[in-house]
Amino acid sequence: MIALQPIVDQLKPLRNLAKHVDGAIEFASLRTAPTVLPAWYVIPTRETASQNERTSTIHQRVDVRFQVVVVLSAQARNQDKVREDLKTHVDAITGALLGWKHPEANGECHYDGGALLVSDGQRIAWAVQFRTSRTERKI
């Protein structure tokens, strides 16, 4: 698994948008919806390893997928036009991570889509998904 802190650190300069940027354990420890909004959480979602490429050592490519969960308040309503807060956050996250190289990765991060996680009338949570790869080696 790749470390989450470098991803969080890459997003922290965008604090003008997100009041809170954290990781998976912090997200999992929430007993209720976050109170400080907007909030972003970096969560690993999947790793898939290829077959070993060598006979005398271990050398495997590992495809890594992670997401940044954006949690926004859905309370305020503008009567004149549709709020574009979610697009603003997704664009900022994508701009910060698309093409960025995690220190443990083989190459840059690629956008991998998005998905609605929650919409409960109070908040909306959207996952911005990314993929990269790393190498697992053992001599």
Side-chain angles (χ1 to χ4, degrees):
M1 174 180 287
I2 61 173
L4 301 182
Q5 190 63 53
I7 303 167
V8 170
D9 291 345
Q10 182 69 10
L11 294 172
K12 280 191 176 177
L14 302 172
R15 286 274 176 138
N16 60 321
L17 284 176
K19 294 180 182 176
H20 188 81
V21 182
D22 230 326
I25 301 299
E26 294 76 15
F27 183 73
S29 70
L30 292 172
R31 296 201 189 288
T32 60
T35 55
V36 178
L37 297 177
W40 299 348
Y41 296 91
V42 178
I43 301 172
T45 57
R46 183 176 174 95
E47 286 194 346
T48 308
S50 67
Q51 293 293 323
N52 186 32
E53 298 174 2
R54 308 264 164 72
T55 56
S56 60
T57 62
I58 302 294
H59 188 271
Q60 292 176 275
R61 176 189 163 106
V62 179
D63 291 321
V64 177
R65 295 180 190 272
F66 66 92
Q67 63 189 13
V68 179
V69 174
V70 177
V71 184
L72 300 173
S73 171
Q75 301 265 328
R77 172 118 166 81
N78 184 334
Q79 299 298 323
D80 296 331
K81 61 182 182 176
V82 172
R83 283 179 50 193
E84 295 290 355
D85 303 22
L86 183 58
K87 179 181 175 10
T88 300
H89 285 262
V90 169
D91 288 353
I93 291 166
T94 303
L97 296 178
L98 187 65
W100 170 73
K101 186 180 178 298
H102 187 286
E104 297 172 12
N106 297 335
E108 64 279 344
C109 288
H110 298 272
Y111 179 70
D112 202 33
L116 179 65
L117 300 178
V118 173
S119 177
D120 66 4
Q122 302 296 313
R123 287 160 299 277
I124 187 169
W126 181 266
V128 187
Q129 301 162 341
F130 295 90
R131 69 181 186 280
T132 190
S133 68
R134 64 180 182 82
T135 302
E136 192 69 46
R137 294 183 182 99
K138 186 172 182 181
I139 298 175

